[in-house]
Amino acid sequence: MRMYDIIMKKRNGGELTKEEIDFFVEGYTKGKIPDYQAAALMMAVYFRKMTEEETLALTMAMAHSGDMLDLRDIHGFKVDKHSTGGVGDKTSLALTPMVAACGIPVAKMSGRGLGHTGGTIDKLESFPGFTTALTRERFIENVNRIGIAIMGQTADLAPADKKLYALRDVTATVDNMSLIASSIMSKKLAAGADGIVLDVKTGSGAFMKSEQDARALAQEMVTIGRNAGRKTIAVISDMDQPLGYTVGNALEVKEAIDTLKGKGPADFTELCMTLGSQMLIAAGKAEDSDTAGQMLRQVIDDGSALHRLAEFVEAQDGDSRAVYEPDMLPVAEIIRPIAAPKSGYIEKIRCDEVGICSLILGGGRETKESKIDLSVGLVLCRKAGDYVREGEPLVMVHANDEGRAREAERRYLAACTIAPTPPRRRAFIKDIIH
Ligand code: URA
């Protein structure tokens, strides 16, 4: 078999066989196939697309390119959750303790920030000492003992995806449905959970800008999960403005803690309840979303979900006192409002731009080596549809550098549109695909 022939077959619109896909993934992972041939194939896939069979073959080959975690030592039905990425997306921080407090073991693999989107691991590191570098034994022991463990992606987990993702990132071949679906699902399958609940975002802060594309991606991932024998459900949710009111690592942790106390923003609480219900149903703990909703509300009302977060933070070497005293979390030196330039209704907040404002403030990485400033970010005072008077605050900027604060202010104002009439309301949860 020759890589040249595989590239040409795809370039001409042919359908690759499982053997050809395995040959490519194995050869590329082992460094036998060079980047330029892999990039040529990715571009051919970008234009010619892949069939369902090809996408499944690519997913399985990438999932098996390294270690497959064996979670059989964890008792019960294990559920993993994955978001396609968003701005202000602190969902795992509140959702995992809620679900664990309902008796479902959560064995989760999380990532760091990517582009304009934030990552769960960076946020969790707001707790001093917190680590996600767990051995397999400690990961399993923690899930069995307290019901949650979150681990970072190791070099041994789906290494083909790690290499291909970096290549796609610099060759303009990221936003292809089959490539995204296989990238996400290969990691999830290798991470070993019995059930996978996907939060597929759509809108200006998401990877899939249109609802139609988000729906197609969700469908593709659900099909892959089903074909691989894992119970997979996708919730399609709005990411046309930041989730909740906070964007930035420690700020988002505080909002997740508020949500676990029952004082969270409406959209974020709705998302946690919807995803949590799907996780409880998938694990067979609840028959329908009404029962699941009651169970989730109960663990918030009786404080057990908040307590579970503290246990989880402590089990991963973090200082759990901050769960009960969030003022201990990192705080920025400069905290000031951006005033509305005119009166009217907030028509649109370009969500990817808000993510970039947080990056500018230091909340994300500019290079792989950058150190994140956990304290900086934005706290929105108005969201889409709200009325604001000229001079009232649109958002509070949390910064540690005057120049960066000014740049973020300029960009935020450009990202926010104020109109004389209220915008049309959009549904927050768009669909649930089984
Ligand atoms: N997230 C991933 O892990 N892979 C993609 O291709 C896109 C988003």
Side-chain angles (χ1 to χ4, degrees):
M1 212 176 277
R2 292 193 320 149
M3 188 58 196
Y4 181 93
D5 298 328
I6 294 175
I7 297 169
M8 193 160 68
K9 185 173 178 189
K10 191 37 93 185
R11 186 201 69 183
N12 293 344
E15 181 172 351
L16 301 179
T17 63
K18 180 181 175 312
E19 290 68 33
E20 286 163 336
I21 290 172
D22 286 346
F23 172 85
F24 159 64
V25 171
E26 196 194 333
Y28 186 54
T29 311
K30 291 191 172 152
K32 290 190 207 150
I33 292 169
D35 274 346
Y36 53 82
Q37 284 190 312
L41 181 64
M42 290 299 102
M43 194 54 87
V45 168
Y46 182 87
F47 283 114
R48 292 296 194 170
K49 306 198 169 25
M50 280 182 139
T51 62
E52 205 178 284
E53 288 73 28
E54 286 176 298
T55 309
L56 178 64
L58 179 61
T59 309
M60 297 314 281
M62 293 204 296
H64 288 276
S65 62
D67 291 346
M68 295 287 284
L69 269 187
D70 181 351
L71 301 183
R72 270 176 300 185
D73 292 340
I74 298 176
H75 322 303
F77 188 93
K78 281 81 61 186
V79 193
D80 197 351
K81 168 256 163 198
H82 186 87
S83 153
T84 57
V87 178
D89 188 1
K90 70 257 343 156
T91 310
S92 294
L93 304 179
L95 178 64
T96 50
M98 282 165 66
V99 170
C102 291
I104 296 189
V106 183
K108 184 160 165 44
M109 195 72 51
S110 282
R112 295 194 180 272
L114 181 75
H116 69 277
T117 67
T120 300
I121 295 183
D122 296 327
K123 292 169 201 183
L124 281 168
E125 285 176 354
S126 302
F127 293 105
F130 189 91
T131 180
T132 48
L134 305 181
T135 59
R136 179 186 168 276
E137 288 68 33
R138 190 167 166 207
F139 182 70
I140 289 176
E141 206 264 319
N142 283 7
V143 183
N144 277 333
R145 191 162 52 84
I146 56 161
I148 322 180
I150 294 188
M151 197 169 159
Q153 186 184 357
T154 63
D156 306 329
L157 197 111
D161 168 64
K162 232 178 168 176
K163 244 184 125 174
L164 263 186
Y165 188 85
L167 184 77
R168 287 166 54 218
D169 203 20
V170 291
T171 54
T173 51
V174 171
D175 48 342
N176 169 278
M177 207 85 74
S178 295
L179 295 179
I180 296 174
S182 56
S183 166
I184 291 176
M185 290 306 287
S186 64
K187 285 183 283 242
K188 293 290 112 182
L189 297 180
D194 305 309
I196 302 164
V197 173
L198 300 161
D199 180 15
V200 179
K201 307 284 195 192
T202 175
S204 60
F207 229 36
M208 297 285 112
K209 306 289 182 214
S210 79
E211 202 176 314
Q212 194 187 1
D213 285 351
R215 203 174 281 278
L217 175 63
Q219 189 62 64
E220 189 133 10
M221 292 196 286
V222 168
T223 304
I224 293 172
R226 193 189 50 218
N227 288 342
R230 311 286 172 94
K231 210 170 209 177
T232 309
I233 297 150
V235 172
I236 301 178
S237 69
D238 187 71
M239 189 34 77
D240 211 36
Q241 61 174 333
L243 183 60
Y245 287 92
T246 59
V247 181
N249 297 287
L251 293 168
E252 292 187 42
V253 170
K254 284 185 195 157
E255 194 167 53
I257 291 172
D258 283 345
T259 305
L260 288 174
K261 291 179 184 163
K263 292 185 259 169
D267 58 352
F268 181 50
T269 304
E270 184 182 352
L271 184 64
C272 290
M273 297 301 280
T274 307
L275 292 168
S277 296
Q278 292 306 320
M279 290 169 89
L280 294 190
I281 294 169
K285 283 273 174 194
E287 285 208 341
D288 52 41
S289 26
D290 284 347
T291 321
Q294 279 166 18
M295 290 169 74
L296 292 164
R297 262 187 298 276
Q298 169 73 25
V299 294
I300 289 179
D301 293 346
D302 67 15
S304 54
L306 186 69
H307 184 59
R308 194 59 69 105
L309 175 67
E311 284 182 317
F312 155 62
V313 169
E314 198 154 313
Q316 298 200 197
D317 301 341
D319 186 343
S320 62
R321 287 174 303 167
V323 171
Y324 300 108
E325 295 166 53
D327 290 345
M328 286 176 64
L329 291 165
V331 181
E333 278 169 24
I334 306 167
I335 302 177
R336 68 172 181 231
I338 303 180
K342 61 178 179 186
S343 300
Y345 292 91
I346 310 293
E347 185 178 55
K348 186 157 180 58
I349 305 172
R350 282 231 5 237
C351 192
D352 47 355
E353 279 295 309
V354 182
I356 292 170
C357 289
S358 177
L359 292 187
I360 290 170
L361 292 168
R365 287 178 193 80
E366 273 163 30
T367 67
K368 276 197 290 188
E369 288 72 34
S370 304
K371 205 170 154 357
I372 280 191
D373 185 341
L374 296 165
S375 66
V376 299
L378 303 131
V379 180
L380 278 65
C381 305
R382 298 284 194 285
K383 294 195 53 166
D386 290 346
Y387 186 80
V388 66
R389 265 183 241 285
E390 184 182 335
E392 281 180 350
L394 280 177
V395 65
M396 300 299 289
V397 173
H398 292 233
N400 284 319
D401 177 281
E402 187 54 42
R404 287 175 183 246
R406 264 189 262 120
E407 170 67 5
E409 282 162 8
R410 189 191 59 73
R411 246 178 131 132
Y412 192 90
L413 279 174
C416 188
T417 318
I418 301 176
T421 49
R424 205 163 48 89
R425 274 182 72 86
R426 292 163 57 101
F428 176 68
I429 301 290
K430 315 279 184 196
D431 205 356
I432 299 176
I433 296 178
H434 292 90

